Amino acid sequence: MPYTTYLVEKGASHSFVAEAKPPTVTMPRIKALMTGSLPGFIDVVRNLNSPALLEDNVITQAKAAGKRMVFYGDETWVKLFPKHFVEYDGTASFFVSDYTEVDNNVTRHLDKVLKRGDWDVLILHYLGLDHIGHISGPSSPLIGRKLSEMDNVLMKIHTSLLSEERENLLPNLLVLCGDHGMSETGSHGASSMEEVNTPLILISSAFERKPGDIRHPKHVQQTDLAATLAIGLGLPIPENSVGSLLFPAVEGRPMREQLRFLHLNAVQLSKLLQENMPSYKKGSNPAPAQHPASTEQQG
């Protein structure tokens, strides 16, 4: 993946190794990414027939805020979020032997949708890499070709977003991630290091990097993405999220904004703690953080 590698090593990006908690199967991992919470093993049973997600999440908050969302790929998203997308094309993940059409069904939409200006959020969930793992494992010669295909997809999206930015001057955010890893045999669902470690790359011209600025991938939790996306989109952090804001994403913002973002995350986590721990005494609360705006001198 030469283009992705360049972005990770020298481009305007922040890279992470995000730990997914078991069960490492698709539906509970999508839930974790979008709610910031930790789904249970009952979700393994529901994985093939996912009910609509009622728990507070980034997608529902985005729809409530009027964000127009488009989705192509694994139909699990359409089952979890049945009335949230202004346009969608779901692909069945059941036919594991198919690692070509499942991805072509996503990529065929790209040229048109990237030229349109009628959406705010675009989500693509490719299945081919996962299916190759199930068929012939992570060392299969098919893996390299599929990674090259995915690299070209990422390059197409990124160059399109950069070209659009030259016109409207507002930075976009491109997120590249995996819902789970893959064991030495190509399976997933358990808790081996290969199954729980996933890539998470945030790419945006807002993350400008000077020559010589070496950024080593930090180890974070997969659940941290929900809080980070919510803050980036100006949405409330999902109420059951246990994640922390991925701070490198806001390091370039003014100090006052950084403090405000951290305060929002702290208040949400504190509320979650109070609601879920009967022994949590309100009297033991630390002094409330002062709003950064109130520390400014009046001109």
Side-chain angles (χ1 to χ4, degrees), residues 270-298:
S270 174
K271 187 172 177 226
L272 183 66
L273 185 66
Q274 288 178 42
E275 288 171 356
N276 288 278
M277 288 191 67
S279 59
Y280 187 92
K281 291 186 176 65
K282 287 191 177 175
S284 64
N285 275 359
Q290 193 174 24
H291 193 283
S294 64
T295 62
E296 286 193 343
Q297 292 183 334
Q298 296 299 314

Side-chain angles (χ1 to χ4, degrees), residues 52-298:
L53 181 58
L54 302 177
E55 190 179 344
D56 191 16
N57 63 82
V58 175
I59 301 291
T60 302
Q61 291 284 6
K63 184 173 186 283
K67 304 282 185 195
R68 300 159 300 174
M69 292 174 285
V70 174
F71 173 79
Y72 307 121
D74 188 333
E75 65 183 3
T76 306
W77 287 81
V78 182
K79 292 176 180 175
L80 287 170
F81 310 106
K83 295 177 180 174
H84 296 66
F85 303 115
V86 294
E87 181 182 308
Y88 64 86
D89 185 10
T91 303
S93 58
F94 194 70
F95 302 103
V96 178
S97 58
D98 171 21
Y99 53 84
T100 308
E101 287 303 309
V102 282
D103 288 349
N104 290 345
N105 280 341
V106 178
T107 303
R108 68 193 174 100
H109 294 287
L110 278 185
D111 285 332
K112 278 188 182 174
V113 79
L114 291 172
K115 283 179 186 149
R116 289 164 24 196
D118 60 350
W119 53 270
D120 303 296
V121 178
L122 172 65
I123 301 171
L124 311 172
H125 187 137
Y126 282 90
L127 286 159
L129 195 62
D130 177 72
H131 287 190
I132 290 171
H134 285 296
I135 298 164
S136 51
S139 302
S140 164
L142 297 169
I143 292 276
R145 281 192 299 232
K146 181 55 74 174
L147 289 175
S148 178
E149 179 190 332
M150 293 296 100
D151 195 47
N152 287 329
V153 166
L154 186 121
M155 180 167 67
K156 181 193 282 273
I157 297 168
H158 188 231
T159 50
S160 171
L161 294 178
L162 289 177
S163 150
E164 181 203 311
E165 282 178 20
R166 281 194 283 273
E167 293 173 25
N168 62 22
L169 302 177
L170 283 172
N172 292 293
L173 173 65
L174 175 55
V175 179
L176 175 64
C177 63
D179 51 344
H180 52 71
M182 186 187 293
S183 73
E184 288 300 316
T185 58
S187 65
H188 57 89
S191 57
S192 71
M193 191 175 76
E194 292 81 9
E195 289 165 277
V196 302
N197 280 350
T198 69
L200 173 58
I201 307 169
L202 308 183
I203 303 158
S204 174
S205 54
F207 307 148
E208 192 179 2
R209 193 190 306 204
K210 294 181 174 67
D213 178 1
I214 298 168
R215 298 174 180 174
H216 297 289
K218 297 176 175 64
H219 280 257
V220 299
Q221 294 300 310
Q222 193 179 55
T223 45
D224 294 338
L225 183 64
T228 306
L229 287 180
I231 284 171
L233 290 165
L235 306 170
I237 297 171
E239 57 188 18
N240 293 321
S241 168
V242 296
S244 302
L245 167 67
L246 295 170
F247 194 67
V250 299
E251 274 178 332
R253 307 299 300 167
M255 181 62 71
R256 179 182 161 188
E257 281 188 35
Q258 292 182 36
L259 289 169
R260 181 171 152 266
F261 296 148
L262 290 170
H263 183 250
L264 288 170
N265 198 183
V267 167
Q268 175 264 322
L269 288 169
S270 174
K271 187 172 177 226
L272 183 66
L273 185 66
Q274 288 178 42
E275 288 171 356
N276 288 278
M277 288 191 67
S279 59
Y280 187 92
K281 291 186 176 65
K282 287 191 177 175
S284 64
N285 275 359
Q290 193 174 24
H291 193 283
S294 64
T295 62
E296 286 193 343
Q297 292 183 334
Q298 296 299 314

